[in-house]
Amino acid sequence: MIVSSKLPGVGTTIFTVMSALAQEHGAINLAQGFPDFPSSQRLNELVAHYMRQGYNQYAPMAGVPILRQRIAEKIDGLYGVKIDPDKEITITCGATEGIFTAIGALVSPGDEVIIFEPAYDSYRPSIELFGGMTKSFELSAPDYTIDWDRLMRLISMKTRMIIINTPQNPIGKILKPADMQALEKLVSSSDIIILSDEVYEHMVYDGHEHQSVLRYPALRERALAVYSFGKTFHNTGWRIGYCVAPPALTAEFRKVHQFNVFSINTPMQYALADFLEDPHEYLGLGTFFTHKRDFFLDAIEGSLFRPLLSEGSYFQLCDYSQISTEPDVDFCRRLTMEYGVAAIPVSVFYHSKRDEKIIRFCFAKKEETLERAAKLLREIGKI
Ligand code: GLN
């Protein structure tokens, strides 16, 4: 039987490919973005507690009410915005489900969706699976700044959605207030929906503040913002995130969410609700990850890798052009197999496969892991 593919150009996600290669060759995995230090013992105990108490059946479709309430309080504390937990928050199976569900609920065949590349690799296939057309706006190293006047030329009568991501994976750049204002101006007299991927909201460095779409009323009224507990609380395997959107958008979102995953793990939701009571559990993350970034930067000093500025996320880009001229995909394979450190090539996040000889390292690792990796990286000469 011949199976015709709905996604003929799509292979296995780079994160799975590189993690498998790292494992096969016993390399240190600075590729896929996940921590190698444990999630809080107190949080783990809370999950166990709720399991023992019998909280093991389906959670409500939109999420456990007390967790949604705590999320609303968190948003109010961070961004000074009142969110209705019943009508505006939905608990999701990680941010990836939130993104997929938002696109599935709101993008129809023929609609155009604008993304900023290098873009997280789930956006384009999700858009195209639902018949949408991706319009990509390519950003370039080393600054990756957005020329909003040039972006305006991508907007057409068919533009249904713009996806933003701040801090942006894989580049570690953040949107500034001027970017948000430019975006506001761009969409204010249209029906364009904003999908805002903010999974690294707590990882913003050097005195900057996270510019959530929720802070900007003209954006907030048309935005779905997705978040990740896995990134925030170091347990990416739990697969829990949430989506915040005004009632009309949330209603459409839930129509798809209910038939996609129905609802999310019950004991984790109760545990997270308790854990969120103490804002210190997330307010210190900026400092915590600044130390990791700086530790990694210090440790690779003296190597031939040239770091770019990481303003946010837990990723550090490095230019390797002093080491090799080979394509970044080949270089990452070689780095993993021959030098024992896995990283992610940035070209895979561009539809055009633009290769600027830049790779991404994840620094959400124990210092000893970063030190061991950096030692190997320092030893690499011109090849
Ligand atoms: N967000 C993670 C990263 O960028 C990967 C998530 C995944 O593997 N699906 O590395």
Side-chain angles (χ1 to χ4, degrees), residues 75 81 83 87-89 98 102 106 160-164 180 183-184 187 190-198 211-227 242-251 253:
I75 293 170
V81 190
I83 303 286
K87 298 197 176 73
E88 301 188 291
I89 297 175
L106 295 157
R160 172 70 162 163
M161 179 183 275
I162 299 176
I163 305 182
I164 58 171
M180 304 305 275
L183 180 61
E184 258 183 334
V187 296
S190 74
D191 289 328
I192 297 173
I193 293 164
I194 306 289
L195 175 55
S196 185
D197 175 351
E198 302 185 18
Q211 297 304 309
S212 173
V213 81
L214 303 177
R215 286 179 191 262
Y216 294 83
L219 297 177
R220 143 105 178 104
E221 65 173 19
R222 61 182 67 243
L224 302 105
V226 296
Y227 299 91
Y242 53 98
C243 173
V244 181
L249 287 173
T250 291
F253 182 91

Side-chain angles (χ1 to χ4, degrees), residues 106-113 127 131-134 158-161:
L106 295 157
V107 174
S108 304
D111 284 347
E112 293 177 359
V113 180
I127 295 162
M133 281 259 303
T134 314
K158 293 187 189 157
T159 308
R160 172 70 162 163
M161 179 183 275

Side-chain angles (χ1 to χ4, degrees), residues 6-7 10 103 107 122-135 351:
K6 291 190 73 179
L7 296 171
V10 173
I103 292 169
V107 174
S122 87
Y123 301 162
R124 182 183 289 269
S126 304
I127 295 162
E128 291 171 5
L129 197 57
F130 293 102
M133 281 259 303
T134 314
K135 293 265 167 175
H351 193 55

Side-chain angles (χ1 to χ4, degrees), residues 15 31-33 120 169 200 231 315 360:
F15 305 116
Q32 194 176 22
Y120 185 57
N169 184 5
Y200 302 102
K231 298 287 181 190
F315 303 118
R360 189 197 82 173

Side-chain angles (χ1 to χ4, degrees), residues 109-288:
D111 284 347
E112 293 177 359
V113 180
I114 296 175
I115 65 171
F116 296 90
E117 289 187 333
Y120 185 57
D121 70 343
S122 87
Y123 301 162
R124 182 183 289 269
S126 304
I127 295 162
E128 291 171 5
L129 197 57
F130 293 102
M133 281 259 303
T134 314
K135 293 265 167 175
S136 60
F137 187 81
E138 283 197 10
L139 306 174
S140 348
D143 297 325
Y144 300 99
T145 41
I146 301 171
D147 176 344
W148 290 96
D149 290 330
R150 198 159 67 79
L151 177 76
M152 201 157 69
R153 288 186 237 139
L154 276 190
I155 300 212
S156 79
M157 296 295 289
K158 293 187 189 157
T159 308
R160 172 70 162 163
M161 179 183 275
I162 299 176
I163 305 182
I164 58 171
N165 175 210
T166 183
Q168 184 164 336
N169 184 5
I171 55 180
K173 292 289 163 191
I174 57 173
L175 294 178
K176 310 280 165 45
D179 294 305
M180 304 305 275
Q181 284 149 13
L183 180 61
E184 258 183 334
K185 224 167 92 195
L186 203 69
V187 296
S188 57
S189 56
S190 74
D191 289 328
I192 297 173
I193 293 164
I194 306 289
L195 175 55
S196 185
D197 175 351
E198 302 185 18
V199 301
Y200 302 102
E201 67 177 323
H202 299 295
M203 295 146 213
V204 173
Y205 312 128
D206 306 323
H208 291 292
E209 276 197 325
H210 172 58
Q211 297 304 309
S212 173
V213 81
L214 303 177
R215 286 179 191 262
Y216 294 83
L219 297 177
R220 143 105 178 104
E221 65 173 19
R222 61 182 67 243
L224 302 105
V226 296
Y227 299 91
S228 159
F229 283 123
K231 298 287 181 190
T232 300
F233 293 135
H234 322 312
N235 41 34
T236 58
W238 291 10
R239 313 300 304 126
I240 301 196
Y242 53 98
C243 173
V244 181
L249 287 173
T250 291
E252 294 308 311
F253 182 91
R254 289 181 185 169
K255 284 182 192 173
V256 177
H257 170 78
Q258 65 184 342
F259 297 127
N260 185 3
V261 294
F262 180 61
S263 68
I264 307 305
N265 325 286
T266 308
M268 270 85 165
Q269 292 195 56
Y270 282 101
L272 284 163
D274 286 356
F275 201 65
L276 279 179
E277 273 185 302
D278 181 3
H280 293 104
E281 298 291 359
Y282 50 84
L283 291 180
L285 287 171
T287 311
F288 176 78

